[in-house]
Amino acid sequence: MPGESNEWTVAGLYTYPVKSCQGVALQSSTVTATGLQYDRLWMLVDARSGRFVTQRQHPRLALIQVSINEKHGVLELNAPGMSALQVALHPTDLGAQVPVRVWYDTVMGRRCSADADAWVTQFVGKPTHLLYKDPDCPRLVSRYVPEKCAPQAGFADVFPLHVTTTPSLADVNSRVPSKLTHTHFRPNIVLSHPRALPYEEERWTRIEIGRDTWSLFITSRTPRCSMPNVDLEVGKMREDKEPMTSMRTFRCVDPGSPSFVCFGMQAAPQITGHTVWVGDSVVVREYGEHSLTEPL
């Protein structure tokens, strides 16, 4: 097959410190137990219902810019009409513990501060907490886990890493009304290849990345929600419900869940502590079939 050479490379790296807010493009990142460093360690939660808040309900979250200042140990949030909010990048003075449901898992978070709650409440327009993932309560991933792997996650939907490829995005863009970027699908790792066919990644089960040749298990397709329909420039859902309406005609491909629109692959590192760089080489080592026979 055209993409089975060693010419796959890492074309992009992204971390999303605050779930459902803007991501941060990286040149390199440490691979931690919960994914790329800082990825989805913070999350907005409805103060009344205890449910996590995403662009599905509040597409304006797409307008919250997030920046990482490691020198000063600060995570900064900026949004239209708001002053900047700064929270500790490595918090030690954590607030009250708050259990929150993330799909099928109960995940423990900790309140960041009263100031952080006031900021997100003002932006969302209803009482909201900003939570930090409780470091003392690991969240183990239990579904579609390969042998020799014990993945954890922060506030990500399921697995600690999400992988997309440039050939697959190019195919989607040839079939939808408006051009999309990888940002619409929120990957952590974007892979490219000069001659690969679209969706080759759906046959992979293990790849090796980088100078240390660390293994990444490819565990399942990623079923998509409505978030790709958010117009990221204005923070509103598109009225034409694109690209998901078009993608439903050609991306309902998982044999176990044929009603789901799928794009991208869930993934988990075999071990942690390695550094991944843009430009790293990637080699496909193992192949297999994927089928979502139970919910992610």
Side-chain angles (χ1 to χ4, degrees):
M1 298 294 290
E4 291 182 358
S5 72
N6 295 349
E7 296 182 64
W8 284 100
T9 59
V10 176
L13 294 169
Y14 301 90
T15 188
Y16 307 87
V18 185
K19 185 179 180 71
S20 235
C21 298
Q22 291 185 21
V24 178
L26 307 169
Q27 286 300 306
S28 66
S29 177
T30 302
V31 180
T32 75
T34 56
L36 297 191
Q37 193 168 23
Y38 308 122
D39 189 59
R40 281 166 272 224
L41 294 183
W42 290 263
M43 182 172 68
L44 278 65
V45 175
D46 187 302
R48 295 192 181 108
S49 69
R51 294 185 60 84
F52 66 104
V53 177
T54 75
Q55 291 180 32
R56 287 181 291 274
Q57 308 90 20
H58 296 280
R60 290 185 69 241
L61 295 184
L63 302 178
I64 297 180
Q65 298 176 333
V66 181
S67 60
I68 299 167
N69 187 327
E70 292 188 311
K71 180 179 179 179
H72 295 99
V74 165
L75 185 78
E76 183 169 293
L77 278 61
N78 285 277
M82 304 283 293
S83 58
L85 170 69
Q86 293 186 343
V87 297
L89 193 56
H90 302 283
T92 56
D93 185 19
L94 294 168
Q97 192 177 64
V98 179
V100 59
R101 194 76 172 169
V102 179
W103 297 112
Y104 298 96
D105 298 332
T106 297
V107 187
M108 300 308 296
R110 303 291 290 270
R111 299 268 295 275
C112 287
S113 69
D115 287 345
D117 286 353
W119 195 95
V120 295
T121 292
Q122 181 180 345
F123 185 79
V124 172
K126 63 179 182 179
T128 305
H129 298 315
L130 180 64
L131 299 187
Y132 180 75
K133 172 67 179 64
D134 192 330
D136 297 324
C137 298
R139 176 193 176 195
L140 301 179
V141 179
S142 60
R143 299 176 291 280
Y144 301 101
V145 175
E147 295 182 7
K148 301 179 181 179
C149 186
Q152 299 182 30
F155 288 130
D157 282 353
V158 188
F159 277 89
L161 291 165
H162 183 223
V163 177
T164 63
T165 70
T166 55
S168 298
L169 181 65
D171 182 73
V172 169
N173 275 330
S174 72
R175 300 168 184 246
V176 299
S178 300
K179 186 176 180 180
L180 304 168
T181 67
H182 286 285
T183 306
H184 287 89
F185 298 102
R186 302 177 71 80
N188 297 112
I189 302 175
V190 177
L191 303 181
S192 65
H193 189 288
R195 290 176 301 280
L197 298 175
Y199 315 115
E200 287 190 23
E201 64 273 15
E202 296 188 351
R203 300 187 300 112
W204 304 344
T205 56
R206 185 174 69 87
I207 62 178
E208 288 182 348
I209 299 179
R211 307 159 199 190
D212 299 331
T213 59
W214 56 280
S215 286
L216 183 65
F217 290 104
I218 308 300
T219 58
S220 74
R221 294 180 180 86
T222 302
R224 310 308 315 197
C225 63
S226 61
M227 276 181 55
N229 291 345
V230 175
D231 184 329
L232 300 178
E233 297 296 322
V234 297
K236 293 182 179 180
M237 283 286 181
R238 288 176 54 126
E239 293 183 1
D240 60 5
K241 299 182 180 180
E242 291 289 356
M244 295 301 288
T245 296
S246 293
M247 290 181 70
R248 185 162 294 282
T249 67
F250 67 97
R251 287 304 302 157
C252 292
V253 295
D254 190 273
S257 298
S259 64
F260 291 169
V261 176
C262 294
F263 184 82
M265 302 299 289
Q266 300 285 294
Q270 184 175 21
I271 57 175
T272 61
H274 292 285
T275 299
V276 56
W277 294 79
V278 171
D280 275 353
S281 61
V282 178
V283 181
V284 182
R285 292 301 188 193
E286 295 177 9
Y287 295 84
E289 300 296 325
H290 296 284
S291 182
L292 289 164
T293 54
E294 60 176 320
L296 273 180

